[in-house]
Amino acid sequence: MKKFLFSLGLVLSLSTSFAQVNTEELNTNPTQLAEKYNTLVKESLAKGDVTKASESLAKLTKYENGKVWQVRNKDTKKDEFYYTQEELNAATANGNYAKAKEVALMPKYSFLLQSQVSELANKELNEASTALDAKNYDVAGQKFLNVYNLVEALGTKEDIYKYQAAISYYNGNKFEKSLEIIKDLASKNFTGISANQTKNYNRDLYVLGLNTLFNLKKADPFLDEALAKYPKDVDINTLATSIYQATGNSDKLKAKIEENIKINPTDHLNYYNLGVLLMEDASQEARVKELFKKSIELNPKHTESYKNLVASYLVKDKEYVEKINNNLGSSKQEKAIYAENIAKRKALFTEIIPILEKIHQMEPNDISVIKNLAVAYRTIEDSAKEDYYRTLERKTVSGK
């Protein structure tokens, strides 16, 4: 009877990671790298391999635009090339380096390819949309990645295409692929805002990432970052609760549900889920009942709250039955204990019968509820009602 229920159906992760050093990139002049990737682009296009062509174009764009810091490593006697100030500072902080020289990169090959790349980008975008409409999500995901790389080669950053790729892979159940893209976007503080669209998709990216983690049943530092960034967001907190439950983190699960109640006190599932979580703790019996009652107050049609409320009452029944069975003798003390616990059982079932009747109204064909009603009425010695539910039980089972 005990069951967790979490609200899902929201659709986008981020972890802190350090990139590995690319030795070729570190020790090779960018003009040589640009020449290499220009050759790879042409070879891939000649073969009709748009994916490899777009990936090579992205590299070509990097080595022909912006700037690079060239610095001499005095230990290796070699020049090293860094493409961001942060990378340069990290490398030279504790190393033996000469003074760095800032060099502006100039486009050469990518400029000559612009017309061909623009035509190819439009073609890939149309094919991505067609694949998406056909629910061919794997193809759509790769096509959107191609568009992203091709558009970047034209000198424009349109991260929204990468985001579309992540959504496509998610919808195609390629959760690991989706997560990899999401983490990359989140690490760059993705918003999706550009000259072509003004909506900020950062929060949606985190929602997609958390849905991905839930489907993977995976814990990830991205969860903590999502909560730190959107601490009061109802959807993100609900997804976090689901991930804690899916990964077996009961301490964080309990703390998160308690927090969710404060954030969204009108969501019945928060009270229900906390009630379920606390049912194993005998010291929380009274609170568990109040939590299920609060869930019912907020959503009178939530049958699981009624069923678990009944279960919370029936915890005491086992104790009463044991005392009755252990005091079947004829001594005065045994008779007193027997009578006391018979009375307690009657009082207990008198209290839960209205709850069972309510469940029966909502689920008239639930055979377990019908059986429990028959037992409950037998316990309080209402033979007419017991007979009614015994007859109903036989009819329900037979289908007549």
Side-chain angles (χ1 to χ4, degrees):
M1 188 175 286
K2 187 168 64 172
K3 185 192 297 183
F4 281 99
L5 295 174
F6 294 107
S7 302
L8 286 175
L10 313 159
V11 198
L12 265 300
S13 162
L14 170 88
S15 65
T16 304
S17 60
F18 298 93
Q20 293 181 329
V21 174
N22 183 327
T23 305
E24 180 187 44
E25 182 174 278
L26 180 67
N27 298 125
T28 308
N29 191 294
T31 56
Q32 294 174 260
L33 292 173
E35 186 175 352
K36 170 189 171 179
Y37 283 102
N38 177 57
T39 301
L40 290 174
V41 170
K42 290 180 177 179
E43 289 176 354
S44 298
L45 289 175
K47 294 175 183 177
D49 191 338
V50 178
T51 297
K52 285 189 177 179
S54 66
E55 291 170 352
S56 296
L57 273 166
K59 290 285 189 180
L60 174 59
T61 302
K62 177 179 181 178
Y63 301 129
E64 288 200 326
N65 292 277
K67 52 192 173 183
V68 66
W69 283 265
Q70 182 175 353
V71 60
R72 188 74 170 179
N73 186 323
K74 294 180 179 179
D75 293 331
T76 64
K77 306 291 192 295
K78 292 181 180 180
D79 283 347
E80 294 177 1
F81 300 89
Y82 295 93
Y83 293 83
T84 68
Q85 186 73 58
E86 292 78 8
E87 290 174 348
L88 173 68
N89 294 342
T92 59
N94 300 308
N96 186 17
Y97 287 90
K99 185 178 180 180
K101 178 172 65 173
E102 184 178 312
V103 180
L105 298 173
M106 300 299 292
K108 177 182 177 182
Y109 302 111
S110 55
F111 179 76
L112 298 173
L113 290 167
Q114 276 196 348
S115 177
Q116 189 175 2
V117 171
S118 178
E119 183 179 335
L120 190 56
N122 285 320
K123 178 176 177 289
E124 287 293 293
L125 182 57
N126 288 333
E127 290 180 1
S129 300
T130 300
L132 198 60
D133 290 341
K135 297 185 178 180
N136 193 343
Y137 297 118
D138 206 22
V139 171
Q142 186 57 63
K143 293 287 184 183
F144 279 122
L145 285 178
N146 292 347
V147 174
Y148 167 79
N149 288 327
L150 292 166
V151 169
E152 186 178 30
L154 293 170
T156 306
K157 273 281 188 184
E158 290 286 357
D159 286 343
I160 197 70
Y161 295 124
K162 223 172 188 180
Y163 174 62
Q164 289 282 5
I167 293 174
S168 297
Y169 284 129
Y170 175 90
N171 287 330
N173 297 327
K174 297 294 178 67
F175 300 121
E176 291 288 1
K177 275 189 174 182
S178 180
L179 188 60
E180 182 182 353
I181 296 169
I182 292 163
K183 287 182 176 182
D184 177 62
L185 288 171
S187 68
K188 298 170 182 173
N189 198 30
F190 164 80
T191 64
I193 296 172
S194 70
N196 297 318
Q197 84 87 30
T198 57
K199 179 179 176 179
N200 188 327
Y201 283 98
N202 184 262
R203 180 251 181 205
D204 291 2
L205 178 73
Y206 280 92
V207 171
L208 179 60
L210 293 183
N211 269 287
T212 305
L213 288 178
F214 175 78
N215 280 284
L216 289 169
K217 304 291 184 287
K218 182 178 181 178
D220 192 280
F222 170 69
L223 174 55
D224 295 328
E225 297 196 38
L227 290 169
K229 194 162 191 178
Y230 296 99
K232 300 299 182 183
D233 188 282
V234 173
D235 293 336
I236 284 174
N237 277 276
T238 299
L239 282 164
T241 304
S242 302
I243 293 167
Y244 290 140
Q245 192 268 336
T247 55
N249 194 332
S250 57
D251 291 339
K252 283 193 173 182
L253 173 61
K254 178 178 177 295
K256 180 48 61 183
I257 298 175
E258 296 268 21
E259 187 178 341
N260 288 351
I261 288 175
K262 295 176 183 177
I263 294 171
N264 190 16
T266 60
D267 185 350
H268 72 282
L269 286 177
N270 288 329
Y271 300 92
Y272 170 82
N273 287 330
L274 186 57
V276 171
L277 192 62
L278 296 178
M279 282 183 77
E280 303 297 332
D281 187 347
S283 68
Q284 297 289 327
E285 180 185 345
R287 189 184 180 199
V288 167
K289 290 175 184 175
E290 290 306 313
L291 286 165
F292 290 136
K293 287 177 181 178
K294 182 65 177 179
S295 177
I296 291 167
E297 176 190 324
L298 292 169
N299 184 359
K301 294 182 179 180
H302 189 238
T303 56
E304 291 297 331
S305 290
Y306 289 96
K307 290 178 180 179
N308 280 279
L309 180 57
V310 170
S312 68
Y313 277 102
L314 289 176
V315 170
K316 285 286 188 183
D317 190 48
K318 183 180 178 182
E319 175 190 334
Y320 299 153
V321 170
E322 285 181 357
K323 288 184 178 180
I324 290 168
N325 290 334
N326 292 332
N327 291 275
L328 298 174
S330 56
S331 70
K332 184 177 180 181
Q333 182 182 11
E334 287 175 315
K335 287 181 178 179
I337 295 174
Y338 179 89
E340 178 188 353
N341 285 281
I342 286 290
K344 285 181 177 179
R345 282 200 86 211
K346 285 184 178 180
L348 176 67
F349 279 90
T350 298
E351 197 166 0
I352 68 172
I353 281 174
I355 307 170
L356 287 168
E357 291 280 12
K358 184 67 177 178
I359 301 170
H360 179 56
Q361 288 176 17
M362 292 187 285
E363 298 182 353
N365 296 318
D366 189 326
I367 194 68
S368 65
V369 176
I370 295 170
K371 287 181 177 180
N372 283 327
L373 278 165
V375 171
Y377 280 114
R378 181 182 64 194
T379 303
I380 67 170
E381 300 178 352
D382 186 334
S383 57
K385 282 284 190 177
E386 179 190 356
D387 290 344
Y388 170 79
Y389 282 106
R390 292 295 182 199
T391 302
L392 182 59
E393 179 185 345
R394 288 192 293 273
K395 288 182 178 178
T396 304
V397 171
S398 65
K400 297 179 181 178

